[in-house]
Amino acid sequence: MSRILVLGGNGQVGRELQRTLAPLGEVMAPGREILDLEEASAVAAYLVEQRPDIVVNAAAWTNVDGAEALENQQTVTRLNEYLPAQLAGYAARCGIPLVHYSSDYVYDGGGNTPRSEKAPTSPCSRYGDSKLAGDRSVLESGAKHLVLRTSWVYGSRGVNFMNTMLRLGRERETLRVVDDQVGAPTTARLIAEVTLLALQALLQDRMAPGLYHLASRGETSWHGFACDIFRQALAKGVALEIAPERVAPIPTSDYPTPAVRPLNSRLDVSRIERALSVRMPDWRSQLALALEERLKY
Ligand SMILES: NC(=O)c1ccc[n+]([C@@H]2O[C@H](COP(=O)([O-])OP(=O)(O)OC[C@H]3O[C@@H](n4cnc5c(N)ncnc54)[C@H](OP(=O)(O)O)[C@@H]3O)[C@@H](O)[C@H]2O)c1
């Protein structure tokens, strides 16, 4: 039976991976209190001690605005750049597969069509820069790897756009939400489920190692996403102060943040669909599932 090491197991994607990858083998998911991923020597010792057969790295610094702050640079570099490089080196030396997650923020956000994996990268934030550096280390390592590049991750648990909107929608009668950033909201559960399929295909040499976009189909803006969250929540009987028509669309320029975000986050997912003979579901159907789960607790 395989021993699968999931890093970042308490995060949005990591939590789903712990459940979804269980049929593949024994899942080990050490939390921060057991393994501080900023400590390269501790990571090295853990790998030698536990000898995983598969490594899945869902850990990262994901606070996009926080990544711009001077005081966080060392941590961002260690988690998003050094850690993937260390894992890739280990995976290459030991001949074991490594799955790593990337972000739409490695692109510059120009244009208005979906990007393929061949599109040039040009991040507009420190977070995007650091993710790209981590991706490159994995892609160039010679390890049997998958770099799964995703966008707008959320789920029923954790701090994310859907849960923030549900909270704000209970508190406020009006909201202003950015309307000119476009992408595909993607649930952590979908990412975990497709990761299982991809890992199986990789292990059986049915899928080439490399970079794959992994996101829902369809597209919307943050404003469109917010309106749909409220529409679907109201239809499920959730009591809200807000009505979808009271959500005002605003341009990014009216909502300044420390980090610049790409306006076009559309990802072309046809490569992973072909590789796995699947069709990625539309973001709206995934929202319905995530909301249903959220409303259970
Ligand atoms: N979120 C998005 O919208 C988005 C979009 C595109 C791509 N991605 C990528 O998708 C992947 C998963 O994202 P996510 O949203 O699931 O991330 P997340 O919820 O922020 O989870 C990150 C995980 O990393 C762990 N971690 C961070 N620093 C650590 C440290 N020093 N030691 C041990 N653990 C540490 C966190 O532990 P704690 O729980 O203890 O904090 C957490 O479990 C990442 O590679 C991210 O860059 C995310």
Side-chain angles (χ1 to χ4, degrees):
M1 186 151 109
S2 294
R3 286 162 60 76
I4 307 152
L5 175 60
V6 172
L7 298 177
N10 291 324
Q12 298 192 89
V13 173
R15 197 183 287 269
E16 295 290 345
L17 285 168
Q18 288 201 52
R19 199 181 54 93
T20 309
L21 298 185
L24 271 191
E26 180 196 349
V27 177
M28 303 175 283
R32 191 188 282 267
E33 63 296 345
I34 293 173
L35 181 58
D36 181 354
L37 298 172
E38 270 195 72
E39 297 296 332
S41 55
V43 173
Y46 189 91
L47 290 168
V48 167
E49 197 180 301
Q50 298 296 333
R51 303 209 166 280
D53 303 304
I54 299 169
V55 177
V56 182
N57 180 30
W61 176 283
T62 55
N63 177 347
V64 176
D65 289 321
E68 300 293 320
L70 204 57
E71 69 264 26
N72 293 328
Q73 292 315 303
Q74 186 170 306
T75 305
V76 173
T77 305
R78 284 183 176 169
L79 282 170
N80 290 3
E81 301 187 24
Y82 295 170
L83 176 67
Q86 181 181 12
L87 297 173
Y90 178 83
R93 281 195 303 283
C94 298
I96 63 166
L98 169 67
V99 179
H100 177 67
Y101 296 94
S102 172
S103 163
D104 53 314
Y105 283 28
V106 302
Y107 298 119
D108 70 1
N112 54 12
T113 53
R115 282 181 167 69
S116 83
E117 291 83 350
K118 290 184 183 144
T121 49
S122 180
C124 38
S125 64
R126 171 70 184 117
Y127 169 74
D129 260 337
S130 67
K131 290 297 294 180
L132 181 59
D135 294 357
R136 283 189 175 139
S137 297
V138 177
L139 292 166
E140 293 162 9
S141 64
K144 190 168 191 170
H145 67 272
L146 291 173
V147 175
L148 303 176
R149 184 167 287 162
T150 187
S151 67
W152 296 21
V153 179
Y154 74 105
S156 57
R157 287 167 198 274
V159 179
N160 58 53
F161 187 82
M162 181 185 82
N163 287 338
T164 302
M165 285 301 125
L166 287 173
R167 179 174 55 76
L168 292 175
R170 288 190 175 103
E171 295 169 2
R172 302 202 197 162
E173 289 180 5
T174 58
L175 275 174
R176 298 158 78 238
V177 183
V178 168
D179 194 32
D180 56 358
Q181 293 172 28
V182 176
T186 303
T187 61
R189 176 151 306 176
L190 180 66
I191 294 169
E193 285 168 348
V194 176
T195 299
L196 171 64
L197 296 178
L199 246 178
Q200 286 178 310
L202 185 77
L203 291 167
Q204 294 163 8
D205 292 322
R206 290 186 282 109
M207 183 180 192
L211 169 66
Y212 293 84
H213 288 169
L214 193 182
S216 298
R217 271 194 172 263
E219 63 182 56
T220 187
S221 66
W222 292 112
H223 173 265
F225 188 23
C227 289
D228 238 74
I229 291 167
F230 296 139
R231 254 182 238 114
Q232 292 200 25
L234 286 167
K236 288 179 195 297
V238 178
L240 296 176
E241 289 298 317
I242 194 102
E245 51 283 4
R246 303 294 300 275
V247 185
I250 58 165
T252 300
S253 53
D254 281 4
Y255 188 74
T257 51
V260 176
R261 271 120 173 118
L263 294 181
N264 176 17
S265 279
R266 299 169 181 89
L267 299 176
D268 177 346
V269 292
S270 53
R271 181 169 194 230
I272 201 161
E273 288 184 335
R274 277 195 308 276
L276 297 176
S277 303
V278 296
R279 185 175 165 85
M280 300 304 290
D282 186 81
W283 67 270
R284 273 201 180 88
S285 64
Q286 300 303 292
L287 170 59
L289 296 174
L291 257 179
E292 205 163 289
E293 178 141 335
R294 176 69 186 82
L295 299 178
K296 281 189 201 149
Y297 62 89

